[in-house]
mmCIF file of all heavy atoms in Angstrom:
data_model
loop_
_atom_site.group_PDB
_atom_site.id
_atom_site.type_symbol
_atom_site.label_atom_id
_atom_site.label_comp_id
_atom_site.label_asym_id
_atom_site.label_seq_id
_atom_site.Cartn_x
_atom_site.Cartn_y
_atom_site.Cartn_z
ATOM 1 N N VAL A 1 -5.115 1.388 19.575
ATOM 2 C CA VAL A 1 -5.280 0.808 18.359
ATOM 3 C C VAL A 1 -3.879 0.136 17.894
ATOM 4 O O VAL A 1 -3.796 -0.905 17.540
ATOM 5 C CB VAL A 1 -5.810 1.928 17.270
ATOM 6 C CG1 VAL A 1 -5.677 1.211 15.904
ATOM 7 C CG2 VAL A 1 -7.196 2.167 17.567
ATOM 8 N N VAL A 2 -2.874 1.019 18.051
ATOM 9 C CA VAL A 2 -1.487 0.530 17.662
ATOM 10 C C VAL A 2 -1.047 -0.676 18.542
ATOM 11 O O VAL A 2 -0.365 -1.616 18.091
ATOM 12 C CB VAL A 2 -0.574 1.737 17.749
ATOM 13 C CG1 VAL A 2 0.932 1.249 17.537
ATOM 14 C CG2 VAL A 2 -0.780 2.810 16.641
ATOM 15 N N ALA A 3 -1.430 -0.610 19.786
ATOM 16 C CA ALA A 3 -1.011 -1.734 20.686
ATOM 17 C C ALA A 3 -1.720 -2.966 20.339
ATOM 18 O O ALA A 3 -1.145 -4.100 20.461
ATOM 19 C CB ALA A 3 -1.340 -1.261 22.117
ATOM 20 N N ALA A 4 -2.883 -3.002 19.723
ATOM 21 C CA ALA A 4 -3.674 -4.080 19.324
ATOM 22 C C ALA A 4 -3.103 -4.634 17.937
ATOM 23 O O ALA A 4 -3.522 -5.748 17.431
ATOM 24 C CB ALA A 4 -5.035 -3.849 19.250
ATOM 25 N N LEU A 5 -2.183 -3.773 17.198
ATOM 26 C CA LEU A 5 -1.685 -4.226 16.004
ATOM 27 C C LEU A 5 -0.151 -4.156 15.979
ATOM 28 O O LEU A 5 0.531 -3.342 15.166
ATOM 29 C CB LEU A 5 -2.210 -3.253 14.893
ATOM 30 C CG LEU A 5 -3.825 -3.265 14.714
ATOM 31 C CD1 LEU A 5 -4.101 -2.183 13.762
ATOM 32 C CD2 LEU A 5 -4.231 -4.531 14.093
ATOM 33 N N PRO A 6 0.537 -5.022 16.749
ATOM 34 C CA PRO A 6 2.015 -4.995 16.694
ATOM 35 C C PRO A 6 2.586 -5.534 15.591
ATOM 36 O O PRO A 6 1.824 -6.247 14.794
ATOM 37 C CB PRO A 6 2.330 -5.862 18.057
ATOM 38 C CG PRO A 6 1.129 -6.777 18.088
ATOM 39 C CD PRO A 6 -0.034 -6.029 17.724
ATOM 40 N N VAL A 7 3.754 -5.119 15.118
ATOM 41 C CA VAL A 7 4.418 -5.722 13.908
ATOM 42 C C VAL A 7 4.558 -7.208 14.094
ATOM 43 O O VAL A 7 4.859 -7.823 15.078
ATOM 44 C CB VAL A 7 5.737 -4.987 13.801
ATOM 45 C CG1 VAL A 7 6.551 -5.668 12.703
ATOM 46 C CG2 VAL A 7 5.699 -3.486 13.682
ATOM 47 N N GLY A 8 4.193 -7.852 12.933
ATOM 48 C CA GLY A 8 4.153 -9.305 12.800
ATOM 49 C C GLY A 8 2.867 -9.955 13.201
ATOM 50 O O GLY A 8 2.700 -11.220 13.033
ATOM 51 N N ARG A 9 1.889 -9.213 13.758
ATOM 52 C CA ARG A 9 0.666 -9.721 14.237
ATOM 53 C C ARG A 9 -0.079 -10.156 12.991
ATOM 54 O O ARG A 9 -0.232 -9.482 11.953
ATOM 55 C CB ARG A 9 -0.181 -8.841 15.076
ATOM 56 C CG ARG A 9 -1.680 -9.064 15.346
ATOM 57 C CD ARG A 9 -1.799 -10.226 16.256
ATOM 58 N NE ARG A 9 -1.199 -9.829 17.538
ATOM 59 C CZ ARG A 9 -1.920 -9.199 18.505
ATOM 60 N NH1 ARG A 9 -3.153 -8.841 18.382
ATOM 61 N NH2 ARG A 9 -1.251 -9.072 19.717
ATOM 62 N N GLN A 10 -0.825 -11.333 13.055
ATOM 63 C CA GLN A 10 -1.778 -11.737 12.039
ATOM 64 C C GLN A 10 -3.203 -11.222 12.266
ATOM 65 O O GLN A 10 -3.719 -11.409 13.418
ATOM 66 C CB GLN A 10 -1.819 -13.378 12.022
ATOM 67 C CG GLN A 10 -0.583 -14.014 11.591
ATOM 68 C CD GLN A 10 -0.191 -13.660 10.130
ATOM 69 O OE1 GLN A 10 -0.968 -13.771 9.155
ATOM 70 N NE2 GLN A 10 1.081 -13.151 9.905
ATOM 71 N N ALA A 11 -3.553 -10.434 11.349
ATOM 72 C CA ALA A 11 -4.965 -9.705 11.522
ATOM 73 C C ALA A 11 -5.870 -10.034 10.510
ATOM 74 O O ALA A 11 -5.481 -10.838 9.517
ATOM 75 C CB ALA A 11 -4.697 -8.235 11.642
ATOM 76 N N VAL A 12 -6.981 -9.452 10.372
ATOM 77 C CA VAL A 12 -7.827 -9.578 9.217
ATOM 78 C C VAL A 12 -8.182 -8.173 8.575
ATOM 79 O O VAL A 12 -8.461 -7.252 9.251
ATOM 80 C CB VAL A 12 -9.244 -10.172 9.704
ATOM 81 C CG1 VAL A 12 -10.268 -10.306 8.589
ATOM 82 C CG2 VAL A 12 -8.974 -11.584 10.323
ATOM 83 N N CYS A 13 -8.080 -8.094 7.251
ATOM 84 C CA CYS A 13 -8.390 -7.031 6.635
ATOM 85 C C CYS A 13 -9.502 -7.209 5.604
ATOM 86 O O CYS A 13 -9.847 -8.398 5.346
ATOM 87 C CB CYS A 13 -7.115 -6.343 5.809
ATOM 88 S SG CYS A 13 -6.564 -7.458 4.420
ATOM 89 N N PHE A 14 -10.079 -6.203 5.050
ATOM 90 C CA PHE A 14 -11.245 -6.401 4.163
ATOM 91 C C PHE A 14 -10.883 -5.853 2.860
ATOM 92 O O PHE A 14 -10.527 -4.602 2.750
ATOM 93 C CB PHE A 14 -12.457 -5.715 4.835
ATOM 94 C CG PHE A 14 -12.752 -6.166 6.191
ATOM 95 C CD1 PHE A 14 -12.259 -5.505 7.204
ATOM 96 C CD2 PHE A 14 -13.606 -7.333 6.284
ATOM 97 C CE1 PHE A 14 -12.648 -5.921 8.515
ATOM 98 C CE2 PHE A 14 -13.924 -7.699 7.558
ATOM 99 C CZ PHE A 14 -13.330 -7.086 8.651
ATOM 100 N N VAL A 15 -11.000 -6.670 1.853
ATOM 101 C CA VAL A 15 -10.491 -6.374 0.493
ATOM 102 C C VAL A 15 -11.707 -6.272 -0.524
ATOM 103 O O VAL A 15 -12.677 -7.077 -0.516
ATOM 104 C CB VAL A 15 -9.649 -7.492 0.021
ATOM 105 C CG1 VAL A 15 -9.040 -7.256 -1.378
ATOM 106 C CG2 VAL A 15 -8.431 -7.682 1.098
ATOM 107 N N ASP A 16 -11.620 -5.228 -1.362
ATOM 108 C CA ASP A 16 -12.595 -5.130 -2.506
ATOM 109 C C ASP A 16 -12.382 -6.266 -3.402
ATOM 110 O O ASP A 16 -11.401 -6.420 -4.113
ATOM 111 C CB ASP A 16 -12.355 -3.793 -3.169
ATOM 112 C CG ASP A 16 -13.458 -3.451 -4.159
ATOM 113 O OD1 ASP A 16 -14.335 -4.279 -4.391
ATOM 114 O OD2 ASP A 16 -13.405 -2.285 -4.689
ATOM 115 N N PRO A 17 -13.454 -7.062 -3.628
ATOM 116 C CA PRO A 17 -13.436 -8.203 -4.608
ATOM 117 C C PRO A 17 -13.165 -7.755 -5.993
ATOM 118 O O PRO A 17 -12.665 -8.458 -6.856
ATOM 119 C CB PRO A 17 -14.635 -8.956 -4.443
ATOM 120 C CG PRO A 17 -15.697 -7.952 -3.871
ATOM 121 C CD PRO A 17 -14.723 -6.980 -3.030
ATOM 122 N N LYS A 18 -13.684 -6.554 -6.345
ATOM 123 C CA LYS A 18 -13.403 -6.078 -7.734
ATOM 124 C C LYS A 18 -12.122 -5.335 -7.947
ATOM 125 O O LYS A 18 -11.651 -5.344 -9.056
ATOM 126 C CB LYS A 18 -14.597 -4.933 -8.003
ATOM 127 C CG LYS A 18 -16.014 -5.697 -7.904
ATOM 128 C CD LYS A 18 -16.999 -4.408 -8.206
ATOM 129 C CE LYS A 18 -18.393 -5.063 -8.132
ATOM 130 N NZ LYS A 18 -19.510 -3.952 -8.409
ATOM 131 N N ASN A 19 -11.527 -4.936 -6.911
ATOM 132 C CA ASN A 19 -10.173 -4.324 -7.020
ATOM 133 C C ASN A 19 -9.344 -4.724 -5.688
ATOM 134 O O ASN A 19 -9.320 -4.124 -4.816
ATOM 135 C CB ASN A 19 -10.353 -2.773 -7.111
ATOM 136 C CG ASN A 19 -8.988 -2.096 -7.181
ATOM 137 O OD1 ASN A 19 -7.974 -2.754 -7.492
ATOM 138 N ND2 ASN A 19 -8.923 -0.758 -7.301
ATOM 139 N N PRO A 20 -8.621 -5.851 -5.832
ATOM 140 C CA PRO A 20 -8.002 -6.327 -4.668
ATOM 141 C C PRO A 20 -6.812 -5.342 -4.052
ATOM 142 O O PRO A 20 -6.523 -5.574 -2.934
ATOM 143 C CB PRO A 20 -7.181 -7.695 -5.221
ATOM 144 C CG PRO A 20 -8.016 -7.997 -6.436
ATOM 145 C CD PRO A 20 -8.580 -6.835 -6.933
ATOM 146 N N ALA A 21 -6.503 -4.353 -4.769
ATOM 147 C CA ALA A 21 -5.508 -3.371 -4.366
ATOM 148 C C ALA A 21 -6.181 -2.419 -3.285
ATOM 149 O O ALA A 21 -5.376 -1.772 -2.516
ATOM 150 C CB ALA A 21 -4.983 -2.533 -5.412
ATOM 151 N N GLN A 22 -7.468 -2.518 -3.229
ATOM 152 C CA GLN A 22 -8.277 -1.725 -2.133
ATOM 153 C C GLN A 22 -8.534 -2.522 -0.997
ATOM 154 O O GLN A 22 -9.222 -3.601 -1.070
ATOM 155 C CB GLN A 22 -9.512 -1.057 -2.765
ATOM 156 C CG GLN A 22 -9.276 -0.256 -4.068
ATOM 157 C CD GLN A 22 -8.603 1.172 -3.563
ATOM 158 O OE1 GLN A 22 -8.803 1.579 -2.346
ATOM 159 N NE2 GLN A 22 -7.755 1.680 -4.383
ATOM 160 N N ALA A 23 -8.048 -2.123 0.062
ATOM 161 C CA ALA A 23 -8.286 -2.790 1.485
ATOM 162 C C ALA A 23 -8.494 -1.874 2.580
ATOM 163 O O ALA A 23 -7.833 -0.688 2.509
ATOM 164 C CB ALA A 23 -7.253 -3.859 1.657
ATOM 165 N N VAL A 24 -8.938 -2.370 3.640
ATOM 166 C CA VAL A 24 -9.145 -1.443 4.843
ATOM 167 C C VAL A 24 -9.143 -2.393 6.097
ATOM 168 O O VAL A 24 -9.565 -3.597 5.974
ATOM 169 C CB VAL A 24 -10.388 -0.640 4.871
ATOM 170 C CG1 VAL A 24 -11.597 -1.558 4.914
ATOM 171 C CG2 VAL A 24 -10.413 0.345 5.964
ATOM 172 N N LEU A 25 -8.555 -1.930 7.141
ATOM 173 C CA LEU A 25 -8.395 -2.676 8.466
ATOM 174 C C LEU A 25 -9.759 -2.621 9.270
ATOM 175 O O LEU A 25 -10.339 -3.582 9.834
ATOM 176 C CB LEU A 25 -7.314 -2.420 9.292
ATOM 177 C CG LEU A 25 -6.007 -3.036 8.932
ATOM 178 C CD1 LEU A 25 -4.839 -2.437 9.722
ATOM 179 C CD2 LEU A 25 -6.089 -4.590 9.034
ATOM 180 N N ASP A 26 -10.212 -1.338 9.395
ATOM 181 C CA ASP A 26 -11.446 -1.022 10.276
ATOM 182 C C ASP A 26 -12.595 -0.570 9.339
ATOM 183 O O ASP A 26 -12.528 0.479 8.800
ATOM 184 C CB ASP A 26 -11.037 -0.096 11.267
ATOM 185 C CG ASP A 26 -12.245 0.203 12.168
ATOM 186 O OD1 ASP A 26 -13.264 -0.462 12.180
ATOM 187 O OD2 ASP A 26 -11.991 1.168 13.015
ATOM 188 N N ARG A 27 -13.616 -1.354 9.254
ATOM 189 C CA ARG A 27 -14.795 -0.890 8.450
ATOM 190 C C ARG A 27 -15.922 -0.733 9.305
ATOM 191 O O ARG A 27 -17.198 -0.806 8.885
ATOM 192 C CB ARG A 27 -15.225 -2.000 7.416
ATOM 193 C CG ARG A 27 -15.498 -3.316 7.976
ATOM 194 C CD ARG A 27 -15.935 -4.280 6.903
ATOM 195 N NE ARG A 27 -16.296 -5.591 7.389
ATOM 196 C CZ ARG A 27 -16.820 -6.609 6.576
ATOM 197 N NH1 ARG A 27 -16.910 -6.495 5.341
ATOM 198 N NH2 ARG A 27 -17.292 -7.740 7.180
ATOM 199 N N GLY A 28 -15.745 -0.565 10.571
ATOM 200 C CA GLY A 28 -16.828 -0.387 11.576
ATOM 201 C C GLY A 28 -17.271 1.132 11.670
ATOM 202 O O GLY A 28 -16.659 1.996 11.193
ATOM 203 N N PHE A 29 -18.432 1.293 12.186
ATOM 204 C CA PHE A 29 -19.222 2.555 12.344
ATOM 205 C C PHE A 29 -18.810 3.054 13.764
ATOM 206 O O PHE A 29 -19.438 2.758 14.704
ATOM 207 C CB PHE A 29 -20.655 2.488 12.126
ATOM 208 C CG PHE A 29 -21.019 2.323 10.777
ATOM 209 C CD1 PHE A 29 -21.382 1.037 10.273
ATOM 210 C CD2 PHE A 29 -20.982 3.311 9.691
ATOM 211 C CE1 PHE A 29 -21.741 0.706 9.013
ATOM 212 C CE2 PHE A 29 -21.331 3.018 8.449
ATOM 213 C CZ PHE A 29 -21.662 1.741 8.018
ATOM 214 N N GLY A 30 -17.869 3.926 13.913
ATOM 215 C CA GLY A 30 -17.493 4.554 15.153
ATOM 216 C C GLY A 30 -18.168 5.838 15.246
ATOM 217 O O GLY A 30 -18.936 6.268 14.440
ATOM 218 N N PHE A 31 -17.819 6.605 16.370
ATOM 219 C CA PHE A 31 -18.408 7.860 16.586
ATOM 220 C C PHE A 31 -18.029 8.893 15.493
ATOM 221 O O PHE A 31 -18.634 9.793 15.319
ATOM 222 C CB PHE A 31 -17.980 8.409 17.954
ATOM 223 C CG PHE A 31 -18.513 7.732 19.082
ATOM 224 C CD1 PHE A 31 -17.709 6.970 19.994
ATOM 225 C CD2 PHE A 31 -19.803 7.766 19.449
ATOM 226 C CE1 PHE A 31 -18.235 6.310 20.989
ATOM 227 C CE2 PHE A 31 -20.449 7.088 20.413
ATOM 228 C CZ PHE A 31 -19.488 6.189 21.323
ATOM 229 N N TRP A 32 -17.006 8.636 14.804
ATOM 230 C CA TRP A 32 -16.573 9.545 13.770
ATOM 231 C C TRP A 32 -17.630 9.724 12.630
ATOM 232 O O TRP A 32 -17.665 10.631 11.938
ATOM 233 C CB TRP A 32 -15.246 9.013 13.132
ATOM 234 C CG TRP A 32 -15.239 7.780 12.489
ATOM 235 C CD1 TRP A 32 -15.123 6.560 12.999
ATOM 236 C CD2 TRP A 32 -15.692 7.559 11.039
ATOM 237 N NE1 TRP A 32 -15.215 5.575 12.045
ATOM 238 C CE2 TRP A 32 -15.592 6.158 10.849
ATOM 239 C CE3 TRP A 32 -16.034 8.408 9.986
ATOM 240 C CZ2 TRP A 32 -15.870 5.580 9.579
ATOM 241 C CZ3 TRP A 32 -16.268 7.765 8.701
ATOM 242 C CH2 TRP A 32 -16.265 6.421 8.628
ATOM 243 N N VAL A 33 -18.486 8.617 12.548
ATOM 244 C CA VAL A 33 -19.428 8.750 11.520
ATOM 245 C C VAL A 33 -20.394 9.869 11.693
ATOM 246 O O VAL A 33 -20.925 10.462 10.727
ATOM 247 C CB VAL A 33 -20.187 7.428 11.345
ATOM 248 C CG1 VAL A 33 -21.340 7.444 10.402
ATOM 249 C CG2 VAL A 33 -19.363 6.192 11.061
#
């Protein structure tokens, strides 16, 4: 995971439209669910 997110990399995060201070990088359903 860290190797795919090196410093300076442009990525996509997901932001709560009602509260922009809330964001997350991974919103997928992994085995942890």
